[in-house]
Amino acid sequence: MDNGFSGNSPPARSRWRKVAYGGMQPGFDDNHTDESFLEEMVMNANVVKRNMLKVMLDTVSISQYLCTVALVVLIWTYTLKSAISEISLLLLDASLLVLGFLVLILTADMLSLNLLFHYFLNISFFTTGLYILSPIYHTLTRSISSDSIWALTVSLLILHLFLHDYSGSTVKPPGALKNPNLTSNISLNASIVASVLIASRLPSRLHVFAIILFSLQIFLFAPLVTYCIKKFSFGLHLCFSFGLIAVTLGFVYHLHRLLFVLLLGLLVSINLVCPYWLIRLQKYKFEINGPWDEAKLCFDITE
Amino acid sequence: MSDSRKHRILMVSDFFYPNFGGVENHIYYLSQCLLKLGHKVVVMTHAYGKRSGVRYMTGGLKVYYVPLRPFFMQNIFPTFYGTLPIVRTILIRENISLVHGHQAFSTLCHEALMHARTMGYKVVFTDHSLYGFADVGSIHMNKVLQFTLADVTQAICVSHTSKENTVLRAGLPPEKVYVIPNAVDTAMFKPAPERLSREEIIIVVISRLVYRKGADLLVEVIPEVCQMHSNVRFIIGGDGPKRVRLEEMREKHSLQDRVEMLGAVPHAHVRSVLISGHIFLNSSLTEAFCIAILEAASCGLLTVSTRVGGVPEVLPDDMIVLAEPDPGDMVRAIGTAISILPRIDPQTMHLRMKKLYSWHDVAKRTEIVYDHALSCCNQSLTDRLSRYLSCGAWAGKLFCLVMIIDFLLWHLLQMWQPAEEIEEVPELVFHNREESWNVNEDHGLI
């Protein structure tokens, strides 16, 4: 029986069926709510149980990156104070580059000579371009006051930290499948603009070149390097992070006591308070799935 | 029918002819049938291109094309109060007793329902779509829907799945939500007079070629089906961003002679495409009801569809083959459909559809909802405000504020342009020249 309204229905109330055809079902109004109503609703199907320790260990990458940025800012401040000469800056650049490559080579599963050469070529082009452009950066913001530049830099860095992709790296290792998303691109660009702004306050062209090169190395490649370390060994990642955090705290303590307290507070809240908070909030999680959800395709669409 | 049961209904939606789709169709056919039942129906929508002002359609259906420009996806720009004067004027001029809004993402519908409630009218709302709960867009839409539905007198959904969805989204008591499905104009979708030969089996797909309609599934399914069944051909009607992918698939597997791409098919030609096939394939990833399946079944085609949303409720099990939305299962379902095809007689199928779905039945059931709505007691502003307040800690207060301002603006309008100054339209009685109201597809205007 599929046309329930065609009459001659037995006097006993026929069962209500979840169908839309055949007109109004005999004995039931259109607003009838059956016991089977919302039967297929699934609650909190995809919720992951989180473990406090795991969350805390995961947040270490955030504090690590925060400290990296703090170190960059420290270098900027010292350079602006003329405490670091351009030669030592260039040496720092070179040693960072070598160190970064060492880490990449040591942690990579496969890194061909060809790829290394490709990297080398790119970097030399990039450095030459930067060197040629540094006179322009040097005079770029001459008509703007230093206060505005600092204010802008700080806001850009905050934007950078907010939108940064902490789970991976915006600059992908070769062969990565996923493209970086919009927010991590915005974040990267904010950091680059911030470094150009700071560099334009410096006394000489060589300074400008050295500091921009340094900032770009950190902002572009530090996430990639730390990502590689983390993939290689989580223990090493933890050691590296704690070392970095300790060094940063030491330097900041040296520079300014209030900033030190601020940074320490921030690190504690990121590593202890926020994980605890997240775990506490889990019980309010309420996720609903049901037949009305859009079906997910079980294969990848290759455009 | 006594005169007291004659309603004067205003249908409001951003979606109406000349635009085409499920909602447009629903409003048009429902209005026509309600007119037949002796009610007065007026439609309000926004201007489409040069079509602005008042128009009359078949059967004396009066349509107000309000001079507001569409801003995004055929919706007007949301201004909250910008539409209040014109809604009020239309309600008074046409001596309306009940306002019926359609579609959850129609801005005009939400605004008109809000104003109508402020002015004390009874309102009914029909939801034609499904929404998830996870992404930001859905969360926003659900809040807007909650606002409108917090004070709606009765709500209608097009399928039971849609009812569950709406109840969850808007937090309505389920008794207030009616399920009245769409229907199909079976007179327009008749099967081919002669039965097609089954030497070659033709599978028809008519849909917009977009992600939500499962165009990517088609790309996976078609080559496999063509490989397994050497006598199958595909006819694909529709256009969209995924058309390129389908054409690529056709090139890659050299299926040019077995997959025909028609491009966009105007609704008037849908039947002629449908009757050239044996099987109708629907690959939607989400669907509240799916009128296309009804049209295909009415033309006598066996349907193969993904089991999503309200689709399983639409047809009896022996008229449809359902599959999970993954390519392997869909290929299996198409195989099943081909094997049971000899048992399907298009004419019998058509006659069954005639019994299962009719717009007159839809109109009669909607009439009951209207009667229920009108018998609800009137509520004062304070009662209604308390209902809004319970919508959420912040949203509730915001909703209240919006409603209070609307109330004040309405009173301001009352002083500025008293209701007595607005002229009521005289009753016009249209005599139908023909008894059957088979509506021609150009939605011809008189």
Side-chain angles (χ1 to χ4, degrees):
Chain A
M1 90 160 227
D2 45 56
N3 40 357
F5 84 124
S6 62
N8 292 346
S9 59
R13 268 164 74 108
S14 51
R15 268 188 41 155
W16 182 86
R17 290 171 310 150
K18 193 179 175 180
V19 293
Y21 52 85
M24 204 189 260
Q25 299 192 28
F28 297 98
D29 283 335
D30 278 328
N31 62 345
H32 170 76
T33 308
D34 202 59
E35 295 101 60
S36 66
F37 188 68
L38 290 183
E39 208 171 45
E40 283 172 80
M41 183 172 84
V42 183
M43 268 192 289
N44 293 349
N46 309 319
V47 174
V48 191
K49 270 261 176 247
R50 286 201 167 78
N51 174 298
M52 180 76 183
L53 187 69
K54 173 130 188 10
V55 178
M56 272 165 69
L57 287 180
D58 282 346
T59 52
V60 169
S61 2
I62 300 176
S63 348
Q64 184 215 54
Y65 191 72
L66 193 69
C67 286
T68 317
V69 175
L71 278 178
V72 174
V73 176
L74 271 174
I75 300 274
W76 286 352
T77 344
Y78 282 126
T79 319
L80 281 171
K81 281 181 180 170
S82 303
I84 307 177
S85 71
E86 56 263 53
I87 302 300
S88 38
L89 261 178
L90 283 173
L91 275 176
L92 182 69
D93 288 348
S95 48
L96 274 177
L97 202 61
V98 172
L99 264 175
F101 264 106
L102 256 170
V103 173
L104 275 188
I105 291 167
L106 288 177
T107 57
D109 314 322
M110 40 171 228
L111 202 71
S112 63
L113 210 64
N114 211 346
L115 196 66
L116 266 183
F117 178 71
H118 176 75
Y119 272 151
F120 182 74
L121 206 68
N122 272 358
I123 287 172
S124 46
F125 274 135
F126 187 73
T127 325
T128 323
L130 200 61
Y131 188 73
I132 296 169
L133 285 176
S134 56
I136 299 176
Y137 294 138
H138 181 46
T139 53
L140 189 66
T141 62
R142 190 158 280 176
S143 55
I144 304 171
S145 77
S146 286
D147 293 351
S148 325
I149 292 292
W150 268 113
L152 200 57
T153 308
V154 169
S155 27
L156 281 171
L157 278 182
I158 289 173
L159 182 75
H160 169 64
L161 285 171
F162 257 104
L163 299 182
H164 182 72
D165 178 12
Y166 291 95
S167 62
S169 149
T170 313
V171 178
K172 296 285 174 190
L177 276 176
K178 262 170 60 188
N179 284 325
N181 54 7
L182 178 69
T183 49
S184 64
N185 277 332
I186 293 175
S187 154
L188 188 64
N189 281 305
S191 68
I192 291 172
V193 174
S195 12
V196 170
L197 288 179
I198 284 296
S200 64
R201 295 283 106 178
L202 290 171
S204 83
R205 288 168 192 183
L206 202 57
H207 266 111
V208 174
F209 169 67
I211 209 84
I212 294 189
L213 190 60
F214 166 75
S215 325
L216 289 187
Q217 273 177 10
I218 298 289
F219 288 129
L220 283 173
F221 296 115
L224 178 64
V225 170
T226 49
Y227 177 69
C228 284
I229 294 178
K230 194 174 164 186
K231 229 172 59 179
F232 181 67
S233 136
F234 195 74
L236 192 67
H237 162 73
L238 281 185
C239 291
F240 176 66
S241 305
F242 284 123
L244 199 73
I245 291 169
V247 169
T248 315
L249 283 175
F251 274 117
V252 174
Y253 185 75
H254 221 68
L255 185 75
H256 203 288
R257 298 292 147 82
L258 184 67
L259 281 182
F260 171 77
V261 174
L262 264 177
L263 184 65
L264 194 66
L266 199 60
L267 288 179
V268 167
S269 72
I270 286 174
N271 282 313
L272 298 172
V273 180
C274 288
Y276 177 68
W277 201 20
L278 182 73
I279 301 280
R280 280 282 305 275
L281 286 175
Q282 288 299 306
K283 66 172 177 228
Y284 299 110
K285 197 132 189 170
F286 183 56
E287 195 192 50
I288 312 170
N289 292 96
W292 48 81
D293 283 326
E294 194 177 291
K296 294 255 179 338
L297 293 178
C298 54
F299 53 91
D300 280 327
I301 303 167
T302 42
E303 292 284 345
Chain B
M1 194 190 302
S2 71
D3 223 37
S4 62
R5 275 197 63 208
K6 291 256 168 83
H7 305 306
R8 295 175 301 276
I9 305 141
L10 177 70
M11 301 269 180
V12 193
S13 181
D14 270 312
F15 307 98
F16 196 63
Y17 296 147
N19 200 29
F20 216 94
V23 183
E24 291 84 347
N25 229 357
H26 183 104
I27 299 175
Y28 179 72
Y29 281 109
L30 179 62
S31 307
Q32 290 295 345
C33 290
L34 286 169
L35 284 172
K36 276 269 176 308
L37 289 171
H39 303 292
K40 171 180 175 175
V41 184
V42 180
V43 178
M44 177 185 170
T45 183
H46 66 70
Y48 280 89
K50 277 189 178 167
R51 188 179 292 206
S52 173
V54 182
R55 306 285 170 110
Y56 282 94
M57 296 178 85
T58 321
L61 175 64
K62 190 176 190 180
V63 186
Y64 281 85
Y65 288 93
V66 175
L68 296 165
R69 293 286 144 198
F71 144 78
F72 176 64
M73 283 171 69
Q74 284 303 346
N75 278 298
I76 59 160
F77 186 76
T79 52
F80 287 99
Y81 308 113
T83 49
L84 175 60
I86 193 145
V87 169
R88 174 172 171 264
T89 312
I90 291 176
L91 287 174
I92 297 172
R93 262 185 70 82
E94 296 289 341
N95 196 14
I96 296 295
S97 60
L98 186 138
V99 182
H100 188 169
H102 291 265
Q103 187 63 320
F105 42 82
S106 162
T107 329
L108 185 65
C109 159
H110 285 296
E111 289 191 10
L113 290 189
M114 174 173 100
H115 303 319
R117 280 306 288 157
T118 306
M119 294 167 68
Y121 286 90
K122 297 292 179 354
V123 303
V124 175
F125 172 81
T126 300
D127 198 355
H128 294 260
S129 53
L130 298 177
Y131 260 89
F133 295 88
D135 57 298
V136 181
S138 306
I139 292 170
H140 168 72
M141 269 311 304
N142 292 345
K143 217 63 200 172
V144 173
L145 188 74
Q146 196 184 16
F147 171 61
T148 304
L149 290 195
D151 197 30
V152 85
T153 327
Q154 307 286 356
I156 301 175
C157 290
V158 290
S159 64
H160 297 285
T161 307
S162 170
K163 174 176 173 176
E164 295 179 346
N165 188 232
T166 304
V167 166
L168 283 176
R169 283 159 67 198
L172 274 179
E175 318 81 68
K176 256 175 115 177
V177 186
Y178 291 71
V179 176
I180 299 176
N182 286 310
V184 61
D185 184 5
T186 40
M188 248 186 73
F189 290 93
K190 284 194 185 118
E194 279 157 49
R195 244 180 122 161
L196 300 172
S197 85
R198 272 195 306 277
E199 272 170 29
E200 191 178 40
I201 290 169
I202 295 166
I203 300 181
V204 182
V205 178
I206 298 180
S207 88
R208 280 177 299 121
L209 301 176
V210 293
Y211 174 79
R212 279 164 71 94
K213 296 287 176 188
D216 300 289
L217 273 172
L218 290 178
V219 173
E220 305 285 318
V221 166
I222 290 173
E224 237 174 287
V225 172
C226 284
Q227 206 192 354
M228 282 171 69
H229 307 275
S230 55
N231 60 339
V232 166
R233 252 176 13 99
F234 281 88
I235 296 179
I236 301 175
D239 206 347
K242 296 282 183 183
R243 187 175 172 178
V244 185
R245 282 207 72 207
L246 281 162
E247 277 168 358
E248 269 173 16
M249 173 275 293
R250 198 167 63 155
E251 299 279 307
K252 195 175 148 197
H253 300 270
S254 357
L255 293 171
Q256 285 89 342
D257 54 334
R258 298 183 60 190
V259 180
E260 194 182 339
M261 310 266 303
L262 299 178
V265 181
H267 193 253
H269 297 159
V270 165
R271 178 190 170 249
S272 60
V273 178
L274 282 175
I275 58 170
S276 62
H278 301 87
I279 294 174
F280 179 76
L281 177 61
N282 169 48
S283 57
S284 288
L285 300 181
T286 173
E287 199 77 70
F289 185 80
C290 198
I291 293 191
I293 294 180
L294 292 193
E295 294 174 347
S298 175
C299 284
L301 275 76
L302 179 63
T303 303
V304 175
S305 173
T306 43
R307 187 182 281 115
V308 291
V311 172
E313 305 167 26
V314 170
L315 285 180
D317 294 336
D318 54 337
M319 294 169 85
I320 189 167
V321 184
L322 292 171
E324 295 307 319
D326 92 301
D329 203 43
M330 287 187 70
V331 172
R332 178 204 56 78
I334 292 173
T336 318
I338 290 174
S339 67
I340 62 171
L341 204 55
R343 276 185 274 145
I344 302 290
D345 176 29
Q347 297 295 342
T348 335
M349 188 99 128
H350 176 71
L351 292 178
R352 273 180 80 188
M353 281 306 287
K354 243 182 183 168
K355 277 190 197 155
L356 292 181
Y357 283 106
S358 116
W359 281 110
H360 290 288
D361 174 55
V362 171
K364 282 194 197 107
R365 289 158 78 178
T366 311
E367 200 182 13
I368 298 173
V369 180
Y370 291 158
D371 291 339
H372 277 290
L374 284 178
S375 62
C376 286
C377 56
N378 286 316
Q379 278 170 321
S380 67
L381 181 69
T382 41
D383 283 343
R384 292 171 44 221
L385 282 183
S386 71
R387 212 150 1 131
Y388 281 114
L389 209 53
S390 63
C391 282
W394 288 98
K397 291 176 186 74
L398 205 68
F399 291 174
C400 280
L401 193 71
V402 168
M403 285 313 285
I404 291 169
I405 293 176
D406 201 42
F407 188 78
L408 293 178
L409 282 177
W410 172 51
H411 276 273
L412 208 69
L413 263 180
Q414 295 275 63
M415 281 191 289
W416 188 47
Q417 192 185 28
E420 300 79 53
E421 280 182 21
I422 299 174
E423 195 186 3
E424 265 184 40
V425 288
E427 288 276 332
L428 283 175
V429 183
F430 283 82
H431 298 287
N432 284 335
R433 274 159 293 168
E434 38 188 340
E435 200 46 47
S436 67
W437 54 278
N438 295 341
V439 186
N440 64 350
E441 239 346 278
D442 315 317
H443 10 284
L445 307 180
I446 294 171

